[in-house]
Amino acid sequence: MKRIMRALRRCLAVTAVLAAAFSLPATDAFASPTAPASPTPVVGGKRAAQGEFPFMVRLSMGCGGALYTQQIVLTAAHCVDGSGANTSITATGGVVDLQSSSAIKVKSTKVLQAPGYNGKGKDWALIKLAKPINQPTLKIATTTAYNSGTFTIAGWGATREGGGQQRYLNKATVPFVNDADCKKAYGDDLVPGDEICAGYLDQGGVDTCQGDSGGPMFRMDDAGAWIQVGIVSWGNGCAEPGYPGVYSEVSTFAAAIAQAASNL
């Protein structure tokens, strides 16, 4: 149970929180554009520019995602409830501002949760959309070659643990944390090989938080293009010293994701 709660803290899994974020009027459900800028969500980040990360998608259950294809969103397994036909999810893309009149909103048709997912590892899922979102996609890492260095994280999640969701997409950068150091923080809860860690171990202060689950952790590849290395999964609190963020390691599941997408 401890592990499940850690995983869910990156999404709006608690019904009351989800209802509060999406049933309020637009002016209340998201932070005002004139609200204090510090801290910003992603925790310790700053607002992204329109078009900077066009592959980013906001999902109506309170998670993030990235366009794997223009009609398939890659997100976290803990954001969805099993596999099969599903028309209840709305994906919003093409904008930084969720209230923009230019926002592209598309309903889901099917969901595929990672086979064998049980709350520990294998934290990936695919959502097929009713029609394409005409935006650039984000390629995924197929080897561990990019599992190092500094990564970019982005999302519409909370400014702090337990905080409200945000109107504008925000971004931050976090450094790679090796398995040995991450395991010191999380012990046997960590699944090396399935998961990759990133964050500022000593000082904390920069991290994903509630509402960022399922969003991508990405970096530049050797050709200067964005490549997805991780999927926002879980962690202890938000941006706490000694506890890096834990992300599903995309390269581990790249072949399974590709196969699943081809059959979705």
Side-chain angles (χ1 to χ4, degrees):
M1 187 64 181
K2 183 178 181 182
R3 169 61 185 235
I4 295 294
M5 290 305 293
R6 283 181 174 176
L8 292 180
R9 75 91 172 147
R10 298 284 159 134
C11 76
L12 297 181
V14 180
T15 303
V17 176
L18 180 59
F22 289 96
S23 63
L24 291 174
T27 53
D28 294 326
F30 300 100
S32 164
T34 59
S38 180
T40 59
V42 171
V43 179
K46 62 182 180 180
R47 190 179 298 179
Q50 176 61 34
E52 188 173 5
F53 308 123
F55 44 77
M56 290 293 301
V57 172
R58 177 67 169 174
L59 299 171
S60 57
M61 81 287 278
C63 282
L67 291 174
Y68 177 75
T69 72
Q70 290 187 333
Q71 203 167 348
I72 296 177
V73 176
L74 177 61
T75 188
H78 74 264
C79 287
V80 301
D81 185 17
S83 300
N86 187 323
T87 59
S88 68
I89 301 167
T90 300
T92 300
V95 292
V96 165
D97 178 1
L98 293 176
Q99 294 184 26
S100 170
S101 60
S102 299
I104 303 167
K105 296 181 181 290
V106 183
K107 285 285 189 180
S108 60
T109 60
K110 296 179 183 178
V111 172
L112 189 145
Q113 189 180 59
Y117 173 72
N118 65 1
K120 189 170 183 177
K122 299 183 177 67
D123 197 8
W124 65 269
L126 297 175
I127 298 172
K128 187 170 185 179
L129 305 177
K131 61 181 181 180
I133 291 178
N134 188 24
Q135 293 291 319
T137 59
L138 178 61
K139 65 180 179 179
I140 65 173
T142 57
T143 74
T144 59
Y146 298 109
N147 287 10
S148 61
T150 300
F151 307 110
T152 296
I153 50 177
W156 289 270
T159 63
R160 54 181 173 79
E161 188 172 358
Q165 300 301 284
Q166 301 298 303
R167 171 176 172 174
Y168 296 98
L169 178 68
N170 282 265
K171 64 178 182 178
T173 56
V174 287
F176 169 73
V177 173
N178 65 51
D179 285 347
D181 287 338
C182 198
K183 200 167 180 64
K184 289 177 183 177
Y186 295 119
D188 291 339
D189 280 348
L190 186 71
V191 186
D194 275 22
E195 296 172 328
I196 180 172
C197 302
Y200 293 91
L201 269 179
D202 294 335
Q203 70 268 34
V206 182
D207 198 5
T208 50
C209 203
Q210 288 100 351
D212 291 323
S213 274
M217 180 176 76
F218 48 101
R219 54 162 288 177
M220 290 289 187
D221 67 10
D222 292 338
W226 291 119
I227 188 167
Q228 184 171 357
V229 174
I231 300 168
V232 179
S233 186
W234 64 282
N236 186 53
C238 298
E240 293 185 10
Y243 293 98
V246 183
Y247 301 80
S248 188
E249 190 171 312
V250 169
S251 61
T252 299
F253 307 107
I257 290 169
Q259 181 64 39
S262 69
N263 295 324
L264 196 61

